[in-house]
Amino acid sequence: MTFTDRRDYIRQTYATETAAQKKARESLTDPNDQISIHPEDGRFLQCLIHLAKVKTIVEIGTLGGYSALWMADALPDDGLLTTIEYDPRRAAIARDNTKHEKKIKIIEGDALTVLPQLSQDGPFDMAFIDADKLQYGHYLDWAEENIRKDGLIICDNAFLFDAVWKDGPVDRVRETARRIMRDVNTRLADPEKYHAILLPTVEGMAVAQKRF
Ligand SMILES: C[S@@+](CC[C@H](N)C(=O)[O-])C[C@H]1O[C@@H](n2cnc3c(N)ncnc32)[C@H](O)[C@@H]1O
């Protein structure tokens, strides 16, 4: 049995897409847009949302709204997912893909500018960090301030395309990004501050519950 066999089995049995999720994934035809989470990641996020009774989520990095649709499906009727996307083309695709979902609010803009403005609506129950890797440290700083005690901070791509544990140069990964991702993982792994683990998903997903 290979990793792909396992992944396919999990997708088929536990992580079937809704029609809206499938349509959102298929709407991303540009090769540069093939960077959404995977269905099993979406289902895992839903389980976390149910287990931790999450009602409010801030997502950094919307793309076409695929992960937002997965997460919003797990929120209660009065829940809200606010998701930030700075690329106008992608934000427009996401608005179209999520137009029937009242629990998703898309903010078009740079997360570094939008997040401080969002703080007034917090604290939030969960942050899903899935945008530019060079800013992960800043996103974690924001989440540490604005996610409530016992809330969740999730970082996707925590393997940094398999560069995080390597020492030499890795194609298309900047050394600064590797330093930042290692620092983020070290911060989340602090047992005094978080109950956390880096899960071996395709991209690596760091999952942390805040203890302070
Ligand atoms: C990996 S994709 C997000 C995928 C999405 N979460 C999903 O799984 O469906 C990262 C997105 O973050 C956006 N992004 C990158 N830097 C950003 C920033 N500083 N502010 C807002 N969005 C940003 C990119 O344009 C891209 O669409």
Side-chain angles (χ1 to χ4, degrees):
M1 186 182 244
T2 64
F3 177 77
T4 312
D5 293 331
R6 288 180 182 163
R7 189 202 58 198
D8 290 349
Y9 177 74
I10 293 168
R11 281 186 193 170
Q12 284 156 17
T13 48
Y14 285 88
T16 313
E17 290 170 330
T18 62
Q21 289 156 5
K22 183 169 182 289
K23 183 170 162 285
R25 182 171 48 74
E26 290 175 352
S27 72
L28 297 166
T29 49
D30 186 316
N32 292 323
D33 290 349
Q34 309 302 311
I35 49 174
S36 302
I37 61 161
H38 302 282
E40 64 276 15
D41 301 328
R43 186 67 189 129
F44 176 64
L45 291 170
Q46 289 186 340
C47 291
L48 290 177
I49 291 164
H50 287 299
L51 287 168
K53 302 197 178 354
V54 167
K55 281 178 76 169
T56 53
I57 304 173
V58 174
E59 176 183 54
I60 307 171
T62 317
L63 186 52
Y66 183 73
S67 51
L69 285 167
W70 274 96
M71 289 188 278
D73 273 351
L75 286 174
D77 288 345
D78 60 346
L80 182 67
L81 181 150
T82 305
T83 179
I84 309 167
E85 174 58 56
Y86 74 171
D87 181 321
R89 180 186 62 85
R90 290 173 169 172
I93 296 173
R95 279 193 289 272
D96 187 52
N97 285 334
T98 61
K99 61 183 175 228
H100 301 301
E101 179 50 83
K102 291 193 203 64
K103 290 177 276 181
I104 297 177
K105 179 180 171 191
I106 298 171
I107 301 182
E108 190 177 315
D110 189 324
L112 288 176
T113 311
V114 173
L115 286 170
Q117 297 161 3
L118 264 187
S119 296
Q120 63 193 9
D121 301 328
F124 300 90
D125 296 331
M126 172 171 156
F128 180 56
I129 300 173
D130 190 20
D132 46 334
K133 313 310 162 209
L134 290 169
Q135 303 302 340
Y136 265 40
H138 292 123
Y139 298 151
L140 180 55
D141 291 343
W142 182 88
E144 285 192 334
E145 288 288 316
N146 292 281
I147 299 302
R148 67 165 167 81
K149 180 178 181 295
D150 297 325
L152 301 174
I153 300 176
I154 322 277
C155 294
D156 200 20
N157 302 105
F159 287 158
L160 194 64
F161 319 108
D162 292 345
V164 80
W165 58 80
K166 292 183 185 158
D167 283 326
V170 173
D171 261 7
R172 288 175 284 129
V173 175
R174 287 202 233 166
E175 188 50 41
T176 320
R178 175 156 47 194
R179 185 179 48 71
I180 289 167
M181 194 62 84
R182 282 180 179 167
D183 187 55
V184 163
N185 280 318
T186 303
R187 285 169 67 182
L188 293 176
D190 178 354
E192 300 292 321
K193 295 174 87 174
Y194 296 102
H195 300 298
I197 189 65
L198 169 44
L199 280 178
T201 61
V202 177
E203 305 294 342
M205 191 180 279
V207 178
Q209 183 179 37
K210 253 187 83 176
R211 301 188 63 189
F212 57 103

